[in-house]
Amino acid sequence: MATFPCRTLPMVLTAAVLFPATALAADNGKLDTTGAMLQSATGAADWLITLPFLIPLIGAALALALRGRLAFQSWVALLSMGLATIAAGAVFAKVLADGPQVMAVGNWLPPFGILIAVDALGALFVLITTLVGLVGLGYARADTSEGSVQYGFFTFYQLMIAGVCGAFSTGDIFNLYVWFE
């Protein structure tokens, strides 16, 4: 019986490193997060800066779900890119009016959480990305073969646009790497 704790200690330490949420759950909710987490809820207006990359992600998921209906994929992609362009224009206008916008996703502050930060240059790049993406998608709808559509062209196109918009909207170097992947 004396060897039992010695065998489980490495497993417990490994679980605490790999699954920190599990280790925190063992605290029974008594963890003090005042220095690591925002205490107020994220406002609806703060979510605006996420729309230029969330809309193409949702559009990519819809295009993937419609992989059996090839004609609908291009329309979903076109609608998604149009909405993302409108959202990028709204973000650009908000940044010009109110200055740089920052959002801590999930209310966790860095280094624990994801920080979305958009300044004037980033908002301009996001707007240009969505505009060029929309024009490119218009050309691609007329020129893409049925085989390319069948293998997910519109899904991957929207994922690429979401990745570029996310890279221009990131607040740290780690998430820049994530968006480039």
Side-chain angles (χ1 to χ4, degrees):
M1 293 292 174
T3 60
F4 180 72
C6 294
R7 284 189 205 165
T8 59
L9 184 62
M11 288 187 284
V12 169
L13 291 176
T14 303
V17 170
L18 294 178
F19 308 107
T22 306
L24 292 178
D27 191 34
N28 295 327
K30 297 176 186 170
L31 184 65
D32 181 26
T33 60
T34 53
M37 193 169 180
L38 296 174
Q39 300 303 318
S40 62
T42 304
D46 294 334
W47 286 96
L48 175 67
I49 64 174
T50 64
L51 291 180
F53 58 83
L54 283 181
I55 292 172
L57 285 175
I58 293 168
L62 285 174
L64 183 63
L66 295 172
R67 65 182 174 268
R69 298 181 177 191
L70 301 181
F72 291 121
Q73 288 185 21
S74 65
W75 288 105
V76 166
L78 189 62
L79 177 66
S80 170
M81 284 305 305
L83 291 174
T85 303
I86 292 168
V91 168
F92 186 64
K94 184 168 178 58
V95 167
L96 289 181
D98 299 336
Q101 302 293 308
V102 179
M103 178 187 164
V105 178
N107 287 342
W108 285 95
L109 296 173
F112 305 111
I114 298 170
L115 195 66
I116 305 295
V118 181
D119 59 355
L121 185 62
L124 179 64
F125 282 170
V126 168
L127 180 61
I128 290 171
T129 299
T130 56
L131 284 172
V132 169
L134 185 63
V135 170
L137 184 65
Y139 174 78
R141 287 184 67 222
D143 195 51
T144 305
S145 69
E146 186 175 315
S148 296
V149 174
Q150 186 175 6
Y151 289 114
F153 173 80
F154 292 112
T155 299
F156 291 126
Y157 188 87
Q158 292 178 95
L159 288 174
M160 179 192 66
I161 296 296
V164 173
C165 289
F168 290 140
S169 303
T170 189
D172 58 14
I173 196 75
F174 174 75
N175 288 310
L176 178 67
Y177 172 75
V178 170
W179 284 112
F180 273 130
E181 282 295 314

